[in-house]
Structure formats: structure tokens, C-alpha cells
Amino acid sequence: PLLLMSDSNRNTRPLTAHGGIRAQTKSRKVGKNWWTKRWMAVLENHYMGAELPRGRAYAQAGQVLALKIDNGTVSATVQGAREQPHKVEIKFKAAPKKNWEKLTDILSSQAIFAAKLLSGQMPESIEEVFEEQGVSLFPQDIEDLQTQCTCKVGGLCRHIISVYYILAEEFDRDPFLFMRLRGLERNKLICDIGSSVKRSSRKKADYLDLELHSGPREAGVPFTREVSHFWNGG
């Protein structure tokens, strides 16, 4: 009876899932971008025996029925060998608000970061900025994540691993999900950076305007109001 109840036994197969989220990657290597590879390295560096390839097979077969990302928590439903799908949760540790405010100021003040982030890209050197502020953008180890599954197997079961793989492809499409899971929404980050860039541009414009209107002028030569005279040297 115990063998029939647990779909983590190697002799059991999952029930066919209908309408699940199927991983697009069919090989062992997941992730096109550097940030996704960093995410996968945390999982793959943690040895889990046969559960790793089984979890990957679950993801590729579409066993993950639903996925929700909200407030630093990833909630998912995974179809296993039992009729009742399993509930999976992966929780991320949120960074304090004051850290995000400092990080936003730094990212806004550096043109390369502001330009990349506003265009939806994640510059690789951004990781160093996070570390300098005591915030980890990516989990340093699998222990940095709180995971649980209703299969009660303990540790990283194939259901949790399958969600991990699906998340990897979500990260590939939207790197801002890392920040969202750490407590900062993409729209707020973009708005804050955009506002900071605009303020900086206005300050530069005001400074240039001051220089143009306060510079020395040859005595006795009045300014002309006729634009044509100006451009023709009149």
C-alpha cells in the first residue's frame, strides 16, 4: 500500500497530465541567458540522485498544471502518480525595503544599468551591485530557498524540481522575476529608474541653459531677434 501511495518510488509513473505547462527545453541544459544559468547552477550543484532527471522529465512532460508567482512565493500544482495533484511552494527571502531604495538609486545613477534595465535586459555586472548592498539577487545555495510539497517525501522531490525547471524558463523570458521574488515589482523599478533619469536630464538641461545664458558677451553687440540674421551671421 505504501508503494502505491508514494509517487516518489522509482517503480511508479505519473498520471498523464492534461493542459499542463510543458518545458520547451528537451535537453539537460536549461537556460539561454546568464541569469538562468546561475539559477540552474544552484539546483544542479546540489546532488539529488535520480530525483533530478525525474523532476526534469516531469517538467518536459507537462506535469506542472499551474504556476503562480506572488509576494516572494512560487505556488504550483503538480500531477504525480496519485489522482490528487501535489501542491508545491518555493519561498524566497525578501530584501528589506531600505536596501531596494539604495539599489534603485545606484542603478539609476549609472547609465549602463539604467539603459539595460529600461530595455528589459539584465546586465551581468548588476550582481556585484547587489552584493555590495548586502542583497543576493540569486540564491547562493539551495538552502536559501524554503520548499515544501504535499508528497511528504522531504527535501527536493521530483515535484519541486519540476517547478524549478519551469521557473527557469520563466526567468529566461523575464529576468525581472528575480527581483519580484525578492520583493520589488518590475513596474516600480522601471518607474523609479525612469523618474531618476528624467530628474538627472532636467538638471543637466538647466545647467546647460545657465551656461548658455550667463557666458561672457562682447560689449556693444546686441542680441538679434531675427533668426535669419543669426544663422546668416548678420
Side-chain angles (χ1 to χ4, degrees):
L2 290 176
L3 294 179
L4 294 176
M5 290 295 290
S6 174
D7 57 324
S8 288
N9 181 273
R10 67 178 60 198
N11 297 320
T12 59
R13 292 179 177 274
L15 300 178
T16 301
H18 299 285
I21 305 170
R22 190 183 297 270
Q24 301 302 305
T25 306
K26 300 304 179 185
S27 64
R28 294 183 179 183
K29 297 296 181 182
V30 176
K32 301 175 183 178
N33 300 297
W34 70 268
W35 56 83
T36 310
K37 293 176 181 177
R38 286 281 288 104
W39 166 254
M40 290 305 303
V42 175
L43 178 71
E44 294 170 348
N45 290 340
H46 184 87
Y47 180 72
M48 288 158 287
E51 286 300 282
L52 183 61
R54 287 171 183 156
R56 183 171 59 243
Y58 264 49
Q60 294 171 343
Q63 299 300 122
V64 179
L65 302 178
L67 185 74
K68 182 182 179 182
I69 300 174
D70 186 37
N71 295 328
T73 301
V74 176
S75 305
T77 305
V78 182
Q79 180 63 64
R82 300 175 61 179
E83 184 176 351
Q84 183 67 30
H86 293 293
K87 302 293 183 182
V88 170
E89 272 195 357
I90 301 177
K91 292 186 177 181
F92 291 69
K93 184 178 180 180
K97 184 178 179 181
K98 62 179 181 180
N99 293 62
W100 278 123
E101 292 174 350
K102 181 64 175 176
L103 277 166
T104 301
D105 290 340
I106 294 174
L107 296 175
S108 302
S109 65
Q110 300 188 35
I112 184 62
F113 289 133
K116 289 279 188 180
L117 291 169
L118 289 174
S119 64
Q121 302 178 53
M122 182 82 76
E124 191 164 356
S125 52
I126 196 174
E127 201 170 0
E128 298 175 6
V129 178
F130 273 74
E131 290 174 355
E132 289 172 359
Q133 298 305 313
V135 179
S136 176
L137 181 58
F138 308 103
Q140 299 300 308
D141 186 82
I142 202 70
E143 301 301 327
D144 290 345
L145 300 170
Q146 295 181 14
T147 60
Q148 63 180 22
C149 178
T150 54
C151 72
K152 305 299 183 182
V153 171
L156 288 179
C157 63
R158 64 194 65 178
H159 314 111
I160 293 174
I161 295 171
S162 66
V163 175
Y164 204 103
Y165 272 93
I166 296 298
L167 265 179
E169 295 194 344
E170 292 296 321
F171 289 142
D172 236 0
R173 286 187 283 269
D174 183 5
F176 287 91
L177 282 179
F178 282 112
M179 295 185 184
R180 182 179 178 187
L181 286 166
R182 289 298 192 193
L184 182 67
E185 289 291 341
R186 171 179 180 166
N187 290 343
K188 176 171 174 48
L189 176 65
I190 295 299
C191 287
D192 288 347
I193 291 178
S195 297
S196 178
V197 170
K198 286 180 180 178
R199 287 195 300 271
S200 177
S201 298
R202 282 197 296 268
K203 287 180 181 178
K204 289 179 180 178
D206 291 343
Y207 177 75
L208 289 173
D209 186 62
L210 181 64
E211 280 194 321
L212 288 171
H213 289 83
S214 62
R217 180 167 59 89
E218 184 180 347
V221 181
F223 286 121
T224 177
R225 292 181 178 274
E226 296 296 330
V227 177
S228 60
H229 290 179
F230 175 84
W231 291 111
N232 293 324

